[in-house]
Amino acid sequence: MRVAVIRDYDKGIELEDWPEPAPTGDEVVVTVHGAGICHTDIHLMQRWRNRPLPLVLGHEVAGIEPDMGTVLVHQSWGCGKCAACQRGEEQLCIAIREAGFERPGGFAEKIVVPHRRYLIPLGDLDPVRAAPLTDAGATSYRAIRRALPWLQRPKCRAMVFGVGGVGQFAIQFLRLMTDATVVAVDVSEEKLKTALDLGAHEACHPDDLAGLEAQAVFDLVAEGDTLERAARLVPSGGLIMRIGSGGATLVFGRGVLRPEVMLTSSLGGSMRDVTDVVAMAREGKLRWEVETMPLERVHEGLERLERGEVRGRLILTPHLRG
């Protein structure tokens, strides 16, 4: 089978032919129809470089499993025994092993999944289009769900930093789940137009935030001074939630935040979160844009994402030869 693999971080991704996977025990094999390209993949290649090699990226995966049909693959595989796993939040497991991180991911024609319980039936959803639901969809849904105590306050304004693949879902969940006034923030005029089309009440450039206030800020960028900007926007008792995997930091000391502002993070989605998102997608409540390309063009896809030239989600289609 064809695989896009990193054997040397300095050399980047190389295309190789690997033997067909041979599952053991409870493992199952999914033929990959769609694998999303995420900014986290770029961080794994360029910044973090902390995963054992060889590394097959790709944590947004959907495809076909012989017994279940079209499925979405939950990316987080825990130990099954710790408190987080017992709560059904395997993405928080201290011994987590994830597709595209510690285990080979979806930038390949097939992926080995540890157990069938990590597969979510897609029904009539196209597995190519559905791939982003397991991360971009579930990550934003979990963040909004956890922020509901702040978002349900009267006259709440919620601000979303970054209108990429995750941000576009976040805007929709804010509109579906709350009555908050939704403000989208991005440097791209095209993405700001997309945000308004998806339901944002307002859209603005980061340089135009002076004088504004937001009871909840969701930082899906976490680069440069985004967290510092958020700290200036949120009043006492508000919320700042970091979701993006960028390198932004915020010194936590007296005077940095207004009194009793909650500064927290949100990571991925639980099986419940992913299942909820798939259900909403099947009901036609969500919109998302994808662009497909064959596995052989993975370098082009990563470069375009890094340059900010992607509106929604780029999806590799390993089962189709380019």
Side-chain angles (χ1 to χ4, degrees):
M1 68 174 182
R2 201 67 167 158
V3 173
V5 59
I6 301 171
R7 292 192 177 276
D8 183 323
Y9 281 116
D10 291 330
K11 294 181 179 179
I13 288 182
E14 301 173 285
L15 291 168
E16 296 181 356
D17 288 312
W18 283 15
E20 290 289 311
T24 61
D26 292 326
E27 293 178 339
V28 293
V29 175
V30 174
T31 299
V32 179
H33 279 230
I37 303 179
C38 176
H39 273 99
T40 301
D41 297 315
I42 296 174
H43 294 160
L44 282 163
M45 293 176 62
Q46 298 182 355
R47 295 183 180 181
W48 302 338
R49 296 189 166 201
N50 58 354
R51 262 51 182 195
L53 301 178
L55 172 63
V56 178
L57 298 172
H59 53 276
E60 291 186 339
V61 185
I64 294 180
E65 197 278 329
D67 293 331
M68 295 182 63
T70 54
V71 294
L72 191 68
V73 179
H74 187 245
Q75 69 183 63
S76 302
W77 309 330
C79 68
K81 300 176 182 178
C82 69
C85 288
Q86 292 298 308
R87 295 195 305 269
E89 298 180 324
E90 296 195 32
Q91 81 279 8
L92 303 180
C93 175
I94 58 173
I96 189 172
R97 299 181 67 79
E98 295 187 285
F101 291 80
E102 295 82 14
R103 294 279 295 268
F107 289 9
E109 291 185 57
K110 295 182 180 180
I111 181 174
V112 177
V113 181
H115 197 281
R116 190 170 274 105
R117 72 172 182 270
Y118 296 117
L119 305 181
I120 298 96
L122 286 173
D124 55 356
L125 291 179
D126 177 1
V128 175
R129 279 188 46 78
L133 299 178
T134 192
D135 181 31
T139 294
S140 54
Y141 173 74
R142 179 177 179 81
I144 303 307
R145 180 172 66 79
R146 293 181 57 231
L148 287 178
W150 287 267
L151 296 169
Q152 291 170 342
R153 294 174 181 177
K155 298 182 180 179
C156 175
R157 175 182 277 142
M159 197 168 287
V160 176
F161 284 8
V163 189
V166 182
Q168 291 176 28
F169 278 109
I171 290 166
Q172 295 179 77
F173 289 129
L174 282 165
R175 292 303 313 272
L176 285 168
M177 300 164 65
T178 79
D179 293 323
T181 298
V182 181
V183 183
V185 181
D186 204 288
V187 297
S188 165
E189 289 298 324
E190 184 179 9
K191 290 182 179 180
L192 292 178
K193 292 178 182 177
T194 298
L196 293 171
D197 183 54
L198 290 173
H201 297 94
E202 305 170 30
C204 64
H205 190 279
D207 293 338
D208 298 328
L209 294 175
L212 295 182
E213 184 176 272
Q215 286 69 39
V217 172
F218 300 89
D219 187 354
L220 294 114
V221 181
E223 290 281 9
D225 64 350
T226 55
L227 288 172
E228 294 175 5
R229 289 177 184 265
R232 295 193 290 269
L233 290 166
V234 178
S236 298
L239 172 73
I240 300 172
M241 185 173 287
R242 174 187 176 137
I243 304 166
S245 59
T249 60
L250 182 67
V251 176
F252 186 62
R254 186 175 180 85
V256 175
L257 299 172
R258 293 186 174 89
E260 298 191 5
V261 168
M262 175 70 77
L263 177 61
T264 187
S265 63
S266 192
L267 177 66
S270 65
M271 280 292 295
R272 167 195 166 186
D273 295 323
V274 179
T275 302
D276 286 351
V277 170
V278 169
M280 281 187 272
R282 293 187 64 184
E283 293 169 5
K285 295 180 178 179
L286 301 174
R287 296 164 52 198
W288 69 100
E289 184 175 341
V290 302
E291 178 185 345
T292 62
M293 58 176 52
L295 184 64
E296 287 78 8
R297 291 170 59 192
V298 60
H299 300 95
E300 174 192 341
L302 288 163
E303 290 167 2
R304 284 183 52 198
L305 182 61
E306 188 174 10
R307 293 195 300 264
E309 298 175 358
V310 180
R311 289 185 57 184
R313 210 48 149 196
L314 282 177
I315 306 295
L316 297 175
T317 55
H319 72 300
L320 299 176
R321 290 295 180 101

